[in-house]
Amino acid sequence: MLNVVTLEILREYRRLDDTITMRLNRANATMRDQDRLDDFTGNIQNRACLNVWRELVGNWKRRTELVEYCVRVVDQSLSDRRSVVEDETQDNATKRKAQGHIFEEQVKRTQVHNELKVEAIIRKRAVDAFKTRCQFFVPPSEPEGREIWDAGQ
């Protein structure tokens, strides 16, 4: 179910996507500082991009899990309410009340599905910003991140 707490958690997870350019700048600076200390011979920007990419994909996974949980809860509640309406042993008042709850749950379901659409938009925007700053970066072969990366091609 999508409530204020859930929306706040999603908002917090989305903060990484909203600040991707700043995070990439910080990651590059951190990698340059680390490079001075470690004598690392690899590409500093690629390391910075990889760190931010992994953080992005991790956040995307957590947000997806949260939204999918909400979908399951709402779908289960809708199923329960529909079974009450279809139950011939229930009186009309109980059925009307259940029908009202079904309407509420359908509104929640629409909200959850809207969150999925918002999620897709946010991911696309983050990937576009990421590709702008990390032009030569090739993501690891992790399926979740690779799928999103390829969708943005």
Side-chain angles (χ1 to χ4, degrees):
M1 91 188 112
L2 203 60
N3 57 31
V4 176
V5 174
T6 306
L7 289 174
E8 191 60 38
I9 292 170
L10 281 173
R11 210 172 288 127
E12 188 63 34
Y13 280 147
R14 288 175 178 159
R15 190 163 290 150
L16 171 62
D17 295 72
D18 293 339
T19 60
I20 188 166
T21 301
M22 179 187 64
R23 286 186 181 261
L24 285 167
N25 288 342
R26 271 194 209 150
N28 276 324
T30 301
M31 289 298 132
R32 277 193 306 274
D33 291 345
Q34 198 173 36
D35 184 49
R36 288 184 206 129
L37 299 173
D38 295 347
D39 261 350
F40 179 75
T41 57
N43 184 323
I44 293 169
Q45 185 175 8
N46 279 347
R47 285 192 341 185
C49 291
L50 179 62
N51 288 342
V52 173
W53 180 253
R54 285 187 174 147
E55 193 175 352
L56 273 172
V57 171
N59 268 344
W60 292 338
K61 280 182 183 179
R62 288 186 292 276
R63 289 194 319 243
T64 299
E65 289 169 2
L66 180 62
V67 173
E68 286 175 350
Y69 169 78
C70 292
V71 167
R72 284 192 307 274
V73 168
V74 170
D75 285 347
Q76 181 61 49
S77 180
L78 268 170
S79 176
D80 294 346
R81 304 292 182 184
R82 285 186 179 127
S83 66
V84 169
V85 170
E86 293 167 1
D87 185 357
E88 296 298 323
T89 63
Q90 298 292 333
D91 60 66
N92 286 337
T94 303
K95 287 183 178 184
R96 279 192 301 275
K97 187 175 181 181
Q99 191 63 43
H101 288 296
I102 288 173
F103 177 75
E104 289 175 20
E105 296 300 320
Q106 287 172 331
V107 169
K108 288 179 187 176
R109 191 170 196 276
T110 300
Q111 287 176 322
V112 170
H113 284 280
N114 286 343
E115 286 300 322
L116 291 171
K117 291 174 187 171
V118 169
E119 187 66 23
I121 292 167
I122 289 171
R123 285 182 185 191
K124 172 135 181 48
R125 192 182 73 199
V127 168
D128 289 346
F130 188 89
K131 286 180 177 181
T132 300
R133 295 298 309 272
C134 298
Q135 296 173 353
F136 304 108
F137 175 77
V138 177
S141 59
E142 298 146 348
E144 297 88 0
R146 192 71 208 188
E147 200 175 287
I148 294 165
W149 182 269
D150 292 340
Q153 294 286 350

Coordinates of all heavy atoms in Angstrom, one line a residue, residues 8-57:
E8 N 7.8 8.7 1.2 CA 9.0 9.4 1.7 C 10.2 8.5 1.5 O 11.3 9.0 1.1 CB 8.8 9.7 3.2 CG 9.8 10.6 3.8 CD 9.9 11.9 3.1 OE1 8.9 12.5 2.8 OE2 11.0 12.5 2.9
I9 N 10.1 7.2 1.6 CA 11.2 6.3 1.3 C 11.6 6.4 -0.1 O 12.8 6.5 -0.5 CB 10.8 4.9 1.8 CG1 10.7 4.8 3.3 CG2 11.9 3.9 1.2 CD1 10.1 3.5 3.8
L10 N 10.6 6.4 -1.0 CA 10.9 6.5 -2.4 C 11.6 7.8 -2.8 O 12.5 7.8 -3.5 CB 9.6 6.4 -3.3 CG 9.0 5.0 -3.5 CD1 7.7 5.1 -4.1 CD2 10.0 4.1 -4.3
R11 N 11.1 8.9 -2.2 CA 11.7 10.2 -2.4 C 13.2 10.2 -1.9 O 14.1 10.7 -2.6 CB 10.9 11.2 -1.6 CG 10.9 12.6 -2.2 CD 10.0 13.5 -1.5 NE 8.6 13.2 -1.8 CZ 7.7 13.0 -0.9 NH1 7.9 13.2 0.4 NH2 6.4 12.8 -1.3
E12 N 13.4 9.5 -0.8 CA 14.8 9.5 -0.3 C 15.7 8.7 -1.2 O 16.8 9.0 -1.5 CB 14.8 8.8 1.1 CG 16.1 8.9 1.8 CD 16.6 10.3 2.1 OE1 15.8 11.2 2.4 OE2 17.9 10.5 2.0
Y13 N 15.2 7.5 -1.7 CA 16.0 6.7 -2.6 C 16.2 7.4 -3.9 O 17.2 7.3 -4.6 CB 15.2 5.4 -2.9 CG 15.4 4.3 -1.9 CD1 14.4 3.4 -1.7 CD2 16.6 4.2 -1.2 CE1 14.5 2.4 -0.7 CE2 16.7 3.1 -0.2 CZ 15.7 2.3 0.0 OH 15.8 1.3 0.9
R14 N 15.3 8.3 -4.4 CA 15.4 9.0 -5.6 C 16.4 10.2 -5.5 O 16.7 10.7 -6.6 CB 14.0 9.5 -6.1 CG 13.2 8.3 -6.6 CD 11.8 8.8 -6.9 NE 11.0 7.6 -7.4 CZ 9.7 7.6 -7.4 NH1 9.0 8.6 -7.0 NH2 9.1 6.5 -7.9
R15 N 16.7 10.5 -4.3 CA 17.7 11.6 -4.2 C 19.0 11.4 -4.9 O 19.6 12.3 -5.5 CB 17.9 11.9 -2.7 CG 18.7 13.2 -2.4 CD 18.6 13.6 -1.0 NE 17.2 14.1 -0.8 CZ 16.6 14.0 0.4 NH1 17.2 13.5 1.4 NH2 15.4 14.4 0.5
L16 N 19.5 10.2 -4.9 CA 20.7 9.8 -5.7 C 20.5 10.2 -7.2 O 21.4 10.8 -7.7 CB 21.0 8.3 -5.5 CG 22.2 7.8 -6.4 CD1 23.5 8.5 -6.1 CD2 22.3 6.3 -6.3
D17 N 19.4 9.8 -7.7 CA 19.2 10.1 -9.1 C 19.1 11.6 -9.4 O 19.6 12.1 -10.4 CB 17.9 9.5 -9.6 CG 17.9 8.0 -9.6 OD1 17.9 7.4 -8.5 OD2 18.0 7.4 -10.6
D18 N 18.5 12.3 -8.4 CA 18.4 13.8 -8.6 C 19.7 14.5 -8.5 O 19.9 15.6 -9.0 CB 17.4 14.3 -7.5 CG 16.0 13.8 -7.7 OD1 15.7 13.4 -8.9 OD2 15.2 13.9 -6.8
T19 N 20.7 13.9 -7.8 CA 21.9 14.6 -7.6 C 23.1 13.8 -8.3 O 24.2 13.9 -7.9 CB 22.3 14.7 -6.1 OG1 22.3 13.3 -5.6 CG2 21.2 15.5 -5.4
I20 N 22.8 13.2 -9.4 CA 23.8 12.4 -10.1 C 25.0 13.1 -10.6 O 26.1 12.7 -10.4 CB 23.2 11.5 -11.3 CG1 24.2 10.6 -11.8 CG2 22.6 12.4 -12.4 CD1 23.6 9.5 -12.7
T21 N 24.8 14.3 -11.1 CA 25.9 15.1 -11.6 C 26.9 15.5 -10.5 O 28.1 15.3 -10.6 CB 25.5 16.4 -12.4 OG1 24.6 16.0 -13.4 CG2 26.6 17.2 -12.9
M22 N 26.3 15.9 -9.4 CA 27.1 16.3 -8.2 C 27.9 15.1 -7.7 O 29.0 15.1 -7.4 CB 26.2 16.9 -7.1 CG 27.0 17.3 -5.9 SD 25.9 17.8 -4.5 CE 25.0 16.3 -4.2
R23 N 27.2 13.9 -7.7 CA 27.8 12.7 -7.2 C 29.0 12.3 -8.1 O 30.0 11.8 -7.6 CB 26.8 11.6 -7.0 CG 25.9 11.8 -5.8 CD 25.0 10.6 -5.6 NE 24.1 10.8 -4.5 CZ 24.4 10.3 -3.3 NH1 25.4 9.6 -3.0 NH2 23.5 10.5 -2.3
L24 N 28.8 12.4 -9.4 CA 29.8 12.0 -10.3 C 31.0 13.0 -10.1 O 32.2 12.5 -10.1 CB 29.4 12.1 -11.7 CG 28.5 10.9 -12.1 CD1 27.8 11.2 -13.5 CD2 29.3 9.6 -12.2
N25 N 30.8 14.3 -9.9 CA 31.9 15.2 -9.6 C 32.6 14.8 -8.4 O 33.9 14.8 -8.3 CB 31.4 16.6 -9.5 CG 30.9 17.2 -10.8 OD1 31.3 16.7 -11.8 ND2 30.1 18.2 -10.7
R26 N 31.9 14.5 -7.3 CA 32.5 14.1 -6.0 C 33.3 12.8 -6.2 O 34.4 12.6 -5.7 CB 31.5 13.9 -5.0 CG 31.1 15.1 -4.2 CD 30.4 14.7 -3.0 NE 29.5 15.8 -2.6 CZ 28.3 15.7 -2.0 NH1 27.9 14.6 -1.7 NH2 27.6 16.8 -1.7
A27 N 32.7 11.8 -6.9 CA 33.4 10.5 -7.1 C 34.7 10.7 -7.9 O 35.7 10.1 -7.5 CB 32.4 9.6 -7.8
N28 N 34.7 11.6 -8.9 CA 35.9 11.8 -9.6 C 36.9 12.5 -8.7 O 38.1 12.1 -8.8 CB 35.6 12.8 -10.8 CG 35.1 12.0 -12.0 OD1 35.6 10.9 -12.3 ND2 34.2 12.6 -12.8
A29 N 36.5 13.4 -7.9 CA 37.5 14.1 -7.0 C 38.0 13.1 -6.0 O 39.3 13.0 -5.7 CB 36.8 15.2 -6.3
T30 N 37.2 12.2 -5.5 CA 37.6 11.2 -4.5 C 38.6 10.2 -5.2 O 39.6 9.9 -4.6 CB 36.4 10.4 -4.0 OG1 35.5 11.3 -3.4 CG2 36.8 9.4 -3.0
M31 N 38.3 9.8 -6.4 CA 39.2 8.9 -7.1 C 40.5 9.5 -7.4 O 41.6 8.9 -7.3 CB 38.6 8.4 -8.4 CG 37.4 7.4 -8.1 SD 37.9 5.9 -7.3 CE 36.7 5.8 -6.0
R32 N 40.5 10.8 -7.7 CA 41.8 11.5 -8.0 C 42.7 11.6 -6.7 O 43.9 11.3 -6.7 CB 41.6 12.9 -8.5 CG 41.3 13.0 -10.0 CD 41.4 14.4 -10.5 NE 40.5 15.3 -9.8 CZ 39.2 15.6 -10.1 NH1 38.6 14.9 -11.1 NH2 38.5 16.4 -9.4
D33 N 42.0 11.9 -5.6 CA 42.7 11.9 -4.3 C 43.2 10.5 -4.0 O 44.4 10.4 -3.5 CB 41.8 12.4 -3.2 CG 41.5 13.9 -3.3 OD1 42.2 14.6 -4.1 OD2 40.5 14.3 -2.7
Q34 N 42.4 9.5 -4.2 CA 42.8 8.1 -3.9 C 44.0 7.7 -4.8 O 44.9 7.0 -4.4 CB 41.6 7.2 -4.0 CG 41.8 5.9 -3.4 CD 40.5 5.1 -3.4 OE1 39.8 5.2 -4.4 NE2 40.2 4.4 -2.4
D35 N 43.9 8.1 -6.0 CA 45.0 7.8 -7.0 C 46.3 8.4 -6.6 O 47.3 7.7 -6.7 CB 44.6 8.4 -8.4 CG 45.6 8.0 -9.4 OD1 45.9 6.8 -9.5 OD2 46.0 8.9 -10.2
R36 N 46.3 9.5 -6.0 CA 47.6 10.1 -5.5 C 48.2 9.3 -4.4 O 49.4 9.2 -4.3 CB 47.3 11.6 -5.0 CG 47.1 12.5 -6.1 CD 46.9 13.9 -5.6 NE 46.1 14.7 -6.5 CZ 45.0 15.4 -6.3 NH1 44.7 15.5 -5.0 NH2 44.3 16.0 -7.2
L37 N 47.3 8.7 -3.6 CA 47.8 7.9 -2.5 C 48.2 6.5 -2.8 O 49.1 5.9 -2.3 CB 46.8 7.9 -1.4 CG 46.4 9.3 -0.8 CD1 45.2 9.1 0.2 CD2 47.6 9.9 -0.1
D38 N 47.4 5.9 -3.8 CA 47.5 4.5 -4.1 C 48.4 4.1 -5.3 O 48.8 3.0 -5.4 CB 46.2 3.9 -4.4 CG 45.2 3.9 -3.2 OD1 45.7 4.1 -2.1 OD2 44.0 3.7 -3.4
D39 N 48.8 5.1 -6.1 CA 49.5 4.8 -7.3 C 48.7 3.8 -8.2 O 49.3 2.9 -8.8 CB 50.9 4.2 -7.0 CG 52.0 5.2 -7.0 OD1 51.7 6.3 -7.5 OD2 53.1 4.9 -6.6
F40 N 47.4 4.0 -8.3 CA 46.6 3.2 -9.2 C 46.8 3.6 -10.6 O 46.9 4.8 -10.9 CB 45.1 3.4 -8.8 CG 44.2 2.6 -9.6 CD1 44.1 1.2 -9.4 CD2 43.4 3.2 -10.6 CE1 43.2 0.4 -10.2 CE2 42.6 2.4 -11.4 CZ 42.4 1.0 -11.2
T41 N 46.9 2.6 -11.5 CA 47.2 2.9 -12.9 C 46.0 2.9 -13.8 O 46.1 3.3 -15.0 CB 48.2 1.9 -13.5 OG1 47.7 0.6 -13.3 CG2 49.6 2.0 -12.8
G42 N 44.8 2.6 -13.3 CA 43.6 2.6 -14.1 C 43.0 3.9 -14.3 O 43.5 4.9 -13.8
N43 N 42.0 4.0 -15.1 CA 41.3 5.3 -15.5 C 40.5 5.7 -14.3 O 39.6 5.0 -13.8 CB 40.4 5.0 -16.7 CG 39.8 6.3 -17.1 OD1 39.4 7.1 -16.3 ND2 39.6 6.4 -18.4
I44 N 40.8 6.9 -13.8 CA 40.2 7.4 -12.6 C 38.7 7.7 -12.8 O 37.9 7.3 -12.0 CB 40.8 8.8 -12.1 CG1 42.3 8.5 -11.7 CG2 40.0 9.4 -11.0 CD1 43.1 9.7 -11.5
Q45 N 38.4 8.2 -14.0 CA 37.0 8.5 -14.2 C 36.2 7.2 -14.3 O 35.0 7.2 -13.9 CB 36.8 9.3 -15.5 CG 35.4 9.7 -15.7 CD 35.2 10.6 -16.9 OE1 36.1 10.9 -17.7 NE2 34.0 11.1 -17.1
N46 N 36.7 6.2 -14.9 CA 36.0 4.9 -15.0 C 35.7 4.3 -13.6 O 34.7 3.8 -13.4 CB 36.7 3.9 -15.9 CG 36.5 4.1 -17.4 OD1 35.6 4.9 -17.7 ND2 37.3 3.5 -18.2
R47 N 36.7 4.4 -12.7 CA 36.5 3.9 -11.4 C 35.4 4.7 -10.7 O 34.5 4.2 -10.0 CB 37.8 4.0 -10.6 CG 38.8 3.0 -10.9 CD 39.9 2.9 -9.9 NE 40.1 4.0 -9.1 CZ 41.1 4.2 -8.3 NH1 42.0 3.2 -8.1 NH2 41.2 5.3 -7.6
A48 N 35.4 6.1 -10.9 CA 34.4 6.9 -10.3 C 33.0 6.6 -10.8 O 32.0 6.4 -10.1 CB 34.7 8.4 -10.5
C49 N 33.0 6.4 -12.1 CA 31.7 6.1 -12.8 C 31.2 4.7 -12.3 O 30.0 4.6 -12.1 CB 31.9 6.1 -14.3 SG 32.1 7.7 -15.0
L50 N 32.1 3.8 -12.2 CA 31.7 2.4 -11.7 C 31.1 2.5 -10.3 O 30.0 1.9 -10.0 CB 32.9 1.5 -11.7 CG 32.6 0.0 -11.2 CD1 31.5 -0.6 -12.1 CD2 33.9 -0.8 -11.2
N51 N 31.7 3.3 -9.4 CA 31.2 3.4 -8.0 C 29.8 4.0 -8.0 O 28.9 3.5 -7.4 CB 32.1 4.3 -7.2 CG 33.4 3.5 -6.9 OD1 33.5 2.3 -7.0 ND2 34.4 4.3 -6.5
V52 N 29.6 5.1 -8.8 CA 28.3 5.7 -8.8 C 27.3 4.8 -9.5 O 26.1 4.7 -9.1 CB 28.4 7.1 -9.6 CG1 27.0 7.7 -9.8 CG2 29.2 8.1 -8.8
W53 N 27.7 4.1 -10.6 CA 26.8 3.2 -11.3 C 26.3 2.1 -10.3 O 25.1 1.8 -10.3 CB 27.5 2.6 -12.5 CG 26.6 1.6 -13.2 CD1 26.7 0.3 -13.2 CD2 25.5 2.0 -14.0 NE1 25.7 -0.3 -14.0 CE2 24.9 0.8 -14.5 CE3 24.9 3.2 -14.4 CZ2 23.8 0.7 -15.3 CZ3 23.8 3.1 -15.2 CH2 23.3 1.9 -15.7
R54 N 27.2 1.5 -9.5 CA 26.8 0.5 -8.6 C 25.8 1.0 -7.5 O 24.9 0.4 -7.1 CB 28.0 -0.1 -7.9 CG 28.7 -1.0 -8.9 CD 29.9 -1.8 -8.2 NE 30.4 -2.7 -9.1 CZ 31.7 -3.1 -9.1 NH1 32.6 -2.5 -8.3 NH2 32.1 -4.0 -10.0
E55 N 26.1 2.3 -7.1 CA 25.2 2.9 -6.1 C 23.8 3.1 -6.8 O 22.8 2.8 -6.1 CB 25.8 4.2 -5.7 CG 25.1 4.8 -4.5 CD 25.8 6.0 -3.9 OE1 26.9 6.4 -4.4 OE2 25.2 6.7 -3.0
L56 N 23.8 3.6 -8.0 CA 22.5 3.8 -8.7 C 21.7 2.5 -8.8 O 20.5 2.4 -8.5 CB 22.8 4.3 -10.1 CG 22.9 5.8 -10.3 CD1 23.3 6.2 -11.7 CD2 21.6 6.5 -10.0
V57 N 22.4 1.5 -9.3 CA 21.7 0.2 -9.5 C 21.2 -0.4 -8.2 O 20.1 -0.9 -8.1 CB 22.6 -0.8 -10.3 CG1 22.0 -2.2 -10.3 CG2 22.9 -0.4 -11.7

